[in-house]
Amino acid sequence: MSIKQTPVGSLPRSAELQAAYAAYADGQLAKSELDRLIEKEIKDVVQTYEQIDGNPIITSGEVEKPNFLTYFLEQGFIKLGEPNPKDKKGFVIDFEGHHSREMAVLQKEQTPFKFAHYSDEWLPVLKKYSNKPFKATVISPSAVSLIYVDEIEGYSKAQFTEDLVNECAKDIKKAIAAGASEVGLDMTEATYAQKVDSSGALLKQMVGLVNQVCDKLTPQELQAVTLHTCFGADNFTNHNYSNYAEIYPVLLQSKIQNFHFPFASLGEREFESILHCIKEYIGNKFVYLGFVSHLNKEIELPTRIAERIVLASDILGQVPGVSECCGYSPFCNDLTTTREWAFEKIRARVAGAQLAAKKLGI
């Protein structure tokens, strides 16, 4: 037995693929050429993962997605914008004093709502280059719900909600059917919801949508899902440092069985408080913690990661899973990090988990 590990998902794309995505979005590159470069990128990601001894599970790096948030749309591109943009049409996420991302708005001609792309679309390519267990990543229903802005004639918000719950459940089921050992359900917006509505009502509504998706899954399928939330990662900044004490308990009381929460990026002084908060609500559920920060440019020491894992195990009364706090590049036009740097972080995570396993006698 060893300590459970999971990758978050996204990795920085190469400069070549980033340029290709931009050209394709502008109508200057054929889809076939973009697909060729995506396959080349997935092969590189998988082969790099394969070389990390002790790493139990891999991903495609989400390099096949223009972003983690709206990959399900036919044109899922979200461009960088200025904070608090004027004449905004969709839901806007403002990153701390830096920039914004504006969600697409569902149009009448796009109804009834259905995904144009699912998470299993590129999994055959991943499997072509690796036999290792792999994780697929999907977007949460609460994030998808943000594309319905104004009432659409002949297509009510209630009908849209029913359709999006069915589509999100389908997305998970397709990934599992394709062989995914784990499906990461990305609910980054959970922390942002608390920033938008400090009463917690919006967060509870979002959890309600997640629970509706859970009701569509078999117990075996639900056990394969890990809900991930964080405080954002885009151009080496975040959208918010919401109070984990307001967020983690609400998520832990949902129907989800496995969770993935930030830890290292919240700061040393918060560690024990975070762990006690989780312990109070975790029950018989399981949590992965981000022992590696996506916001710290320095590579963590495996010995320090191991110390944090042991601390977490002592307070929680169980050995948590080990991961990073957030994805390394959720958007394809993030130019601030490199894949080499991200893989150094992953290697440190693996080495730290191995050291902790020895200390804990696992």
Side-chain angles (χ1 to χ4, degrees):
M1 180 181 174
S2 59
I3 294 177
K4 293 180 72 172
Q5 297 182 58
T6 192
V8 176
S10 64
L11 291 167
R13 289 81 169 166
S14 67
E16 182 183 25
L17 183 57
Q18 288 172 334
Y21 268 123
Y24 177 72
D26 291 337
Q28 313 218 340
L29 186 74
K31 182 66 163 57
S32 58
E33 178 60 13
L34 177 63
D35 287 348
R36 184 188 70 80
L37 292 173
I38 289 172
E39 175 159 355
K40 176 184 174 184
E41 200 93 344
I42 291 175
K43 180 182 179 182
D44 181 71
V45 167
V46 167
Q47 289 181 339
T48 304
Y49 263 126
E50 292 268 3
Q51 295 168 7
I52 304 175
D53 290 336
N55 181 61
I57 186 169
I58 68 173
T59 73
S60 66
E62 296 183 29
V63 297
E64 73 279 8
K65 297 176 181 178
N67 63 74
F68 82 105
L69 193 55
T70 58
Y71 65 86
F72 57 87
L73 296 172
E74 186 56 49
Q75 291 292 332
F77 295 86
I78 299 179
K79 295 183 179 180
L80 282 167
E82 295 297 319
N84 302 305
K86 296 179 181 178
D87 302 320
K88 60 185 179 183
K89 296 179 180 179
F91 185 86
V92 172
I93 299 174
D94 285 314
F95 288 80
E96 297 288 344
H98 194 282
H99 65 281
S100 68
R101 297 281 186 177
E102 185 175 345
M103 291 280 286
V105 177
L106 187 69
Q107 305 297 315
K108 170 71 173 177
E109 57 270 23
Q110 295 172 304
T111 63
F113 175 70
K114 184 178 180 181
F115 279 22
H117 301 281
Y118 295 90
S119 60
D120 69 328
E121 189 171 335
W122 286 89
L123 294 182
V125 175
L126 182 155
K127 292 162 70 175
K128 177 178 174 182
Y129 296 110
S130 176
N131 293 318
K132 291 199 76 163
F134 63 89
K135 175 180 180 177
T137 53
V138 301
I139 193 60
S140 71
S142 47
V144 179
S145 73
L146 298 174
I147 69 172
Y148 192 105
V149 177
D150 299 315
E151 190 74 20
I152 298 174
E153 184 180 355
Y155 191 65
S156 67
K157 181 67 176 291
Q159 183 59 58
F160 166 71
T161 299
E162 181 179 339
D163 290 340
L164 85 85
V165 167
N166 287 332
E167 286 296 286
C168 288
K170 182 178 179 180
D171 203 17
I172 293 170
K173 288 175 178 287
K174 286 173 72 71
I176 294 171
S181 300
E182 180 187 353
V183 178
L185 179 66
D186 202 308
M187 196 182 177
T188 297
E189 70 282 358
T191 61
Y192 199 74
Q194 198 64 18
K195 184 177 182 179
V196 173
D197 177 12
S198 60
S199 75
L202 179 58
L203 177 57
K204 289 179 180 177
Q205 290 175 20
M206 288 181 164
V207 170
L209 287 173
V210 170
N211 284 340
Q212 287 184 56
V213 170
C214 291
D215 289 338
K216 300 278 183 182
L217 306 177
T218 67
Q220 293 76 20
E221 289 170 338
L222 183 57
Q223 194 57 47
V225 175
T226 298
L227 185 149
H228 170 246
T229 195
C230 68
F231 305 100
D234 188 22
N235 283 256
F236 230 87
T237 186
N238 59 326
H239 57 59
N240 164 49
Y241 268 121
S242 289
N243 186 349
Y244 61 85
E246 298 173 341
I247 301 161
Y248 292 4
V250 178
L251 297 181
L252 285 166
Q253 293 175 84
S254 71
K255 294 182 180 181
I256 293 290
Q257 298 299 302
N258 303 290
F259 299 86
H260 182 175
F261 294 151
F263 186 66
S265 60
L266 293 176
E268 297 273 350
R269 289 179 297 178
E270 296 290 336
F271 286 174
E272 292 197 13
S273 297
I274 295 167
L275 294 168
H276 284 294
C277 174
I278 292 171
K279 182 179 182 179
E280 183 176 352
Y281 294 94
I282 193 170
N284 60 357
K285 297 181 178 183
F286 185 78
V287 62
Y288 291 92
L289 293 176
F291 291 100
V292 174
S293 173
H294 61 292
L295 292 173
N296 183 359
K297 290 190 177 182
E298 293 184 2
I299 307 301
E300 284 81 357
L301 294 173
T303 52
R304 189 70 186 100
I305 294 171
E307 289 171 2
R308 291 169 174 174
I309 296 170
V310 172
L311 170 68
S313 301
D314 289 343
I315 293 178
L316 293 176
Q318 60 177 270
V319 181
V322 180
S323 188
E324 301 85 47
C325 284
C326 192
Y328 290 109
S329 188
F331 298 90
C332 70
N333 55 5
D334 182 349
L335 303 172
T336 55
T337 60
T338 67
R339 194 149 72 237
E340 292 76 16
W341 170 80
F343 269 119
E344 282 300 304
K345 290 269 186 175
I346 292 170
R347 290 186 186 95
R349 178 251 291 170
V350 173
Q354 291 172 327
L355 284 175
K358 291 180 182 178
K359 287 177 177 286
L360 294 167
I362 297 176

